[in-house]
Amino acid sequence: MLPFTVFSLFLIWLPLGLLTNFPYVWMLLGFAATGPLLFIRRFQVLVLTPVLGARRPTVSEEAAIAPLWREIVMTGHLKPDHYVVRILPSDELNAFACGGHLVVVTSFAVEELSTPELQGVLAHELSHHLGLHTVAITIGHWLSMPVVVLARIGVYLEHVAIAAQQSYGRDSAPIDAITKAAAIAIRPLSWIFTAGIRASAALSNLVGHQSEFDADQRAVRMGFGRELASALRRVLATGQSPRPVGWRERIDASHPPARTRVARIEALLRHPAR
């Protein structure tokens, strides 16, 4: 993402640089300075949590999660307050780790999973942090922010130009020519940034599959393999993790199939030495 990021920051800076004497290098240094903030625990809790749409657990959710989480961190010989669990209001059965300290689980998962299954899921997400998987993900998301902004602006302007051409170009040849030229000029730029985002996402997904297997393996070693396998079977029962068909679906899949993960976990439980 880095070349796309630098180019995006240049285009964002360009109108400012033309109107003022603000140096481009300051734009780069300012953006670089925001990166370390994403790994500060307090910043993640105060800023990243609401950005994700998550919240603190309710009293009942805290009562369900706290003893499970305490047992997990004690098993890993970790400080109880080093990582923070937050709730994402959602009807999906899901959980994820992000930043350097956040574990987010959906309200539906807390309500629907059994106590052992929920503990298995929490152990898996903590394993992502212990394996430093979230560091690469966080850096990737940070680098992609300027690219996403410009990609969205490019797509929006292209749609505006097309709409203007369709609305006013029929009655005016100059307007028709101008709007067509604008759409043609904007489209390649939007394609460039969109392609960068898609390529980064595809590479992230391919690498992410191995990180899921690694987190599963760490959860098994922590003693929560059976619980995690049971939770994954629940995911299979809801039909949320179908097996991808074709190479395009495999690239677009952010997680390996739940069925494959269950099989690998069961193999690890049968042969712990492996």
Side-chain angles (χ1 to χ4, degrees):
M1 285 302 300
L2 187 56
F4 293 97
T5 303
V6 173
F7 186 42
S8 299
L9 290 173
F10 173 77
L11 293 180
I12 293 172
W13 165 83
L14 193 57
L16 181 64
L18 292 175
L19 296 175
T20 68
N21 293 324
F22 187 77
Y24 172 57
V25 67
W26 288 13
M27 172 75 76
L28 292 177
L29 292 175
F31 180 75
T34 64
L37 292 175
L38 299 175
F39 296 96
I40 297 176
R41 180 178 178 275
R42 184 175 295 276
F43 181 86
Q44 292 172 1
V45 173
L46 294 179
V47 177
L48 193 55
T49 297
V51 168
L52 294 170
R55 57 168 173 76
R56 286 178 172 272
T58 63
V59 175
S60 60
E61 290 168 341
E62 181 69 24
I65 293 172
L68 307 180
W69 187 251
R70 192 179 306 113
E71 182 179 352
I72 294 169
V73 296
M74 288 178 62
T75 301
H77 307 288
L78 304 168
K79 294 181 179 179
D81 59 348
H82 186 70
Y83 299 98
V84 180
V85 180
R86 289 293 181 260
I87 306 298
L88 180 66
S90 172
D91 293 333
E92 293 186 2
L93 186 59
N94 196 14
F96 57 90
C98 63
H101 304 84
L102 288 180
V103 170
V104 181
V105 59
T106 63
S107 55
F108 184 80
V110 177
E111 294 170 1
E112 295 299 319
L113 292 177
S114 67
T115 298
E117 290 169 346
L118 180 59
Q119 190 168 39
V121 169
L122 292 172
H124 170 85
E125 300 306 334
L126 177 61
S127 295
H128 278 305
H129 284 304
L130 299 179
L132 301 181
H133 305 151
T134 56
V135 173
I137 293 172
T138 301
I139 292 174
H141 288 168
W142 170 62
L143 290 176
S144 69
M145 284 191 294
V147 185
V148 171
V149 169
L150 282 187
R152 290 180 175 176
I153 291 175
V155 171
Y156 173 77
L157 291 178
E158 181 184 352
H159 289 168
V160 169
I162 293 173
Q165 189 270 332
Q166 292 176 345
S167 299
Y168 305 106
R170 298 171 183 175
D171 302 325
S172 173
I175 292 179
D176 181 62
I178 292 172
T179 52
K180 282 183 177 179
I184 292 172
I186 293 169
R187 186 176 296 120
L189 283 177
S190 63
W191 281 353
I192 289 172
F193 293 117
T194 303
I197 294 170
R198 289 178 176 173
S200 175
L203 181 60
S204 176
N205 289 341
L206 291 174
V207 176
H209 286 193
Q210 185 58 47
S211 72
E212 291 299 322
F213 293 139
D214 291 345
D216 289 344
Q217 185 177 44
R218 188 182 294 270
V220 171
R221 291 177 177 174
M222 292 172 67
F224 302 101
R226 298 187 188 282
E227 294 84 349
L228 177 58
S230 178
L232 288 171
R233 291 191 192 94
R234 184 73 69 91
V235 172
L236 282 170
T238 63
Q240 290 189 25
S241 181
R243 185 180 295 276
V245 178
W247 64 271
R248 288 184 183 274
E249 288 192 10
R250 291 190 181 94
I251 290 177
D252 291 338
S254 60
H255 287 62
R259 195 178 304 278
T260 303
R261 293 174 60 189
V262 170
R264 291 173 68 107
I265 291 171
E266 290 177 342
L268 289 170
L269 291 171
R270 289 194 300 269
H271 307 284
R274 296 183 183 180

